[in-house]
Amino acid sequence: MIHQPPVHFLGKTLTGQPVQKQVRKLKDLDNIFLDQAAFSAADMNRVVYEVFSYLPVDEGTEGGLFFGMTHLYPGTVGQEFYMTKGHFHTIENRAEYYWCVEGEGMLLMMDKHRNTWAEQMQPGSLHYIDGYTAHRVANTGGGILSFGACWPSDAGHDYATIVKNGFSRRLLSVEGKPALV
Ligand code: S6P
Ligand code: ZN
């Protein structure tokens, strides 16, 4: 028997069933940015990023894989670039791949000892995120930043640790250029 694939990956996005679309607005990113005054003054309904995920098995299934495309819009809050919330995986040893399709960005990673480093994202860059490593992406360019992700279906997302403690370093826009401080 020959089957049509249920989901199509069209350049930058996914179509078909079951694709889940998630929209994160500024109001969903409370306690993420450093400059709380700039954050409060901003439009809370501003869309910061959209994620299209293909979840072919139930969340929590051991041995399966999920696939996602994230579109992160350009912008800043105070001196910080628009960025994803960032997370550890709930099953901490679960790894992930990110790869950049369009735009310019920075992948921030932080290990369990709170050492933080960054990798530059540009079209074609492939990023291996080891287990036990928090990950967050910032859009450092003037256009949209689109990247793919592939992660184990039982990884889960621990956002709370990042909301509470943040990353140990921040990516700031200093004279328009990214600086990890
Ligand atoms: C899932 C994977 C990505 C992110 C997406 C948004 O493990 O890392 O699909 O969910 O880039 O980032 P965040 O931190 O809001 O989940
Ligand atoms: Zn992840």
Side-chain angles (χ1 to χ4, degrees), residues 87 89 96 98 135 151 157:
H87 57 269
H89 291 149
E96 182 162 0
Y98 276 6
H135 36 294
W151 68 101
H157 295 94

Side-chain angles (χ1 to χ4, degrees), residues 7-41:
V7 162
H8 291 263
F9 177 37
L10 298 171
K12 292 192 311 167
T13 195
L14 299 176
T15 58
Q17 290 291 332
V19 171
Q20 186 189 79
K21 183 183 175 188
Q22 188 183 30
V23 178
R24 293 246 209 242
K25 301 183 174 180
L26 265 182
K27 65 180 168 205
D28 303 313
L29 299 174
D30 200 12
N31 290 317
I32 295 293
F33 294 98
L34 177 66
D35 188 338
Q36 280 303 306
F39 180 77
S40 307

